[in-house]
Amino acid sequence: MTSTSASPRAAAPAPAHDRPALGPLGLFTVLLGASLPLIDFFIVNVALPSIDHDLAAGPALLELIVAGYGLSYAVLLVLGGRLGDLFGRRRLFLAGMAAFGLTSLACGLAPDAWTLVGARVAQGAAAALMLPQVLATIHSSTEGVRRAKALSLYGATAGLSMVAGQILGGVLVAADLAGSGWRAVFLVNVPVAVAGLVLALRTVPETRSDRPAPVDVPGTLLLALALITLLAPLTEGRAAGWPVWTWVSLAVFPFAAAAFWRAERRLDRRGGTPLVPPSLLGLVSLRRGLVLLLPLCMGFGGFMFVIAVALQQGLGLGAVASGLALVPMAVAFFGASLAGPRLVRRWGTRVVVAGGLIQGLGIALLAVTAWRAWPDLSVGVLLPGMAIAGLGQGLQLPVIFRVILSEVPAERAGVGSGVMVTAQQSSLALGVATLGSLYLSLAASGSDTALPVTLLVQLAMVLLTTALSLRLPRTVR
């Protein structure tokens, strides 16, 4: 077995002519697969009131419907990337797509809240099989300008999926197709998954690591323990009234995280292949990009949850109006994402700094608007702040994805992609837990400043992201 303790730079990439090519339709197919897990993380936000009414779920179970998906998704992402390296990324993509369609069907047909929670956990596990294969396939079957464009499109897809999830959710719940109500937000995945399977069989090339490594079972279990002991209490604590188990879990987290890191370093020194190789984190671009991704995605995830709850529960707007409020953000994000590669060629990673400043301006404008107009806030009044914030986010997220993966060798694309999307997903869940709990606590006390205060906390995260982006390598491949 080859040791991974040496620098990842030592592994020369395969010649371009030996790599399987990912064509335009194949790229569309894997991006379709990337969009489904992210859409489903957010699509539930606007459906929660309907689910509560139909299934009598209550606050704690509603939190579990969101958290169960996010936890299993985050915990298994790195393992999903490793399995793709080992058994073939196309094969795992197909398996994940099929499982996602079946678990979505189970969610849509759930007769009670606990069944829905279980189906959501299974759906998150299916997403964790599918999503890491997307970036790994792009990384292994494209290069140069084509890779830069593909990664920019991935970033655009990721950002748009998070916003479009709530827009689509609002439309589907309001449409009440054939009396399906909230169930349509899950059932809509089934035909999409079938179409994705048919396309993937014809258009996605098979890639895998030249030196596949066995699964690091102790590392997988310790990473799962660390993520669960952090995310579960933060997500469920407020709704459950902060029982003893939440504090015990939070106390266990630093020990679980330290044990995971020691186990990974020990395995690396012995010449094994850890789940998260410490040598991979020796890449400057990956390490600094991950540090930057954490506050960015925490703020984004928290914002999406808070704005849905504030508009529906705080202002009494319908699901459609709540979703439509995000349209300016989606349009601006998409436009900025498409312009990203051209801007990066000219200005390098300073585009990320500019994006942070623009996003900060948008969030500040939203905070001032919410403070001055509440409780007479309308979708139209929010439009300028939404558009400016979306423009800034579109200049940040796709470029950061590209920076993180820029130095990862093709044969380690699966584990590199798994690490990145785990950081992204965990940060989204942390944002929902922390900013969501802050907003709900302030709103429960009757405060009219719950939304602006929460937005100001997000603004602090944006400013931190902007400061950290100054440490990124100036150029990116």
Side-chain angles (χ1 to χ4, degrees):
M1 183 180 297
T2 303
S3 171
T4 59
S5 58
S7 168
R9 296 175 186 271
H17 60 270
D18 291 338
R19 295 183 184 176
L22 182 68
L25 190 55
L27 177 60
F28 169 81
T29 303
V30 294
L31 291 179
L32 177 67
S35 69
L36 288 176
L38 291 168
I39 285 174
D40 266 65
F41 185 83
F42 290 97
I43 199 170
V44 177
N45 287 346
V46 293
L48 290 176
S50 299
I51 294 173
D52 187 22
H53 180 269
D54 193 16
L55 301 182
L61 277 181
L62 288 177
E63 293 276 6
L64 271 178
I65 290 168
V66 177
Y69 177 85
L71 277 172
S72 63
Y73 185 19
V75 163
L76 297 173
L77 275 166
V78 178
L79 177 61
R82 174 61 59 83
L83 292 175
D85 287 348
L86 185 62
F87 296 110
R89 292 151 191 154
R90 177 176 178 268
R91 181 178 299 176
L92 266 292
F93 181 82
L94 290 169
M97 179 74 79
F100 194 84
L102 290 173
T103 53
S104 295
L105 180 63
C107 288
L109 299 178
D112 55 63
W114 277 110
T115 303
L116 180 56
V117 169
R120 284 284 283 172
V121 171
Q123 190 186 33
L129 281 182
M130 178 169 57
L131 187 61
Q133 319 315 327
V134 174
L135 277 170
T137 298
I138 291 173
H139 198 66
S140 300
S141 56
T142 62
E143 63 174 12
V145 174
R146 289 184 64 243
R147 179 183 295 175
K149 289 181 178 178
L151 288 175
S152 293
L153 285 172
Y154 174 87
T157 300
L160 274 177
S161 297
M162 291 185 259
V163 179
Q166 292 189 193
I167 298 172
L168 179 61
V171 171
L172 289 173
V173 170
D176 193 22
L177 301 172
S180 58
W182 59 267
R183 298 178 186 276
V185 304
F186 301 113
L187 296 176
V188 71
N189 293 330
V190 178
V192 177
V194 171
L197 283 170
V198 172
L199 287 171
L201 284 168
R202 298 173 61 88
T203 65
V204 177
E206 181 64 279
T207 64
R208 69 181 71 206
S209 174
D210 293 333
R211 296 190 294 274
V215 173
D216 173 15
V217 176
T220 300
L221 294 177
L222 286 170
L223 178 61
L225 179 63
L227 289 174
I228 289 171
T229 53
L230 175 64
L231 295 176
L234 289 178
T235 304
E236 278 294 297
R238 187 202 61 83
W242 296 105
V244 172
W245 73 263
T246 59
W247 300 108
V248 172
S249 182
L250 287 172
V252 169
F253 164 68
F255 298 99
F260 167 71
W261 188 244
R262 283 197 300 270
E264 297 299 273
R265 293 187 66 182
R266 190 182 306 119
L267 181 58
D268 207 0
R269 285 196 298 267
R270 291 205 309 261
T273 306
L275 186 70
V276 180
S279 55
L280 195 65
L281 298 180
L283 296 172
V284 173
S285 58
L286 184 140
R287 186 175 66 251
R288 293 183 179 177
L290 287 177
V291 170
L292 183 60
L293 193 65
L294 296 178
L296 176 64
C297 287
M298 276 188 67
F300 197 97
F303 173 83
M304 297 299 293
F305 176 80
V306 166
I307 203 70
V309 174
L311 293 181
Q312 288 190 92
Q313 296 183 9
L315 297 179
L317 297 181
V320 173
S322 176
L324 289 178
L326 297 169
V327 169
M329 177 176 283
V331 172
F333 188 103
F334 187 66
S337 299
L338 294 182
R342 184 172 65 255
L343 295 173
V344 169
R345 284 196 297 270
R346 182 170 182 180
W347 302 106
T349 56
R350 291 298 177 260
V351 170
V352 180
V353 180
L357 294 173
I358 294 169
Q359 187 193 176
L361 176 62
I363 297 298
L365 181 57
L366 286 171
V368 171
T369 302
W371 175 67
R372 295 181 63 183
W374 191 275
D376 300 316
L377 202 61
S378 67
V379 172
V381 172
L382 291 173
L383 190 152
M386 288 286 190
I388 294 171
L391 180 66
Q393 290 161 350
L395 292 175
Q396 291 177 290
L397 197 61
V399 182
I400 293 171
F401 286 158
R402 183 176 164 189
V403 168
I404 290 172
L405 296 177
S406 61
E407 294 181 304
V408 176
E411 67 273 9
R412 305 179 84 182
V415 66
S417 301
V419 168
M420 189 186 81
V421 292
T422 298
Q424 177 194 7
Q425 183 60 36
S426 301
S427 301
L428 290 171
L430 269 175
V432 172
T434 53
L435 292 181
S437 294
L438 172 63
Y439 172 80
L440 291 171
S441 298
L442 292 173
S445 66
S447 173
D448 288 340
T449 61
L451 182 56
V453 168
T454 307
L455 288 171
L456 288 176
V457 174
Q458 187 195 351
L459 177 60
M461 293 181 178
V462 172
L463 295 177
L464 175 61
T465 301
T466 306
L468 291 172
S469 63
L470 293 170
R471 301 184 68 246
L472 290 176
R474 185 62 184 268
T475 58
V476 57
R477 289 189 290 165

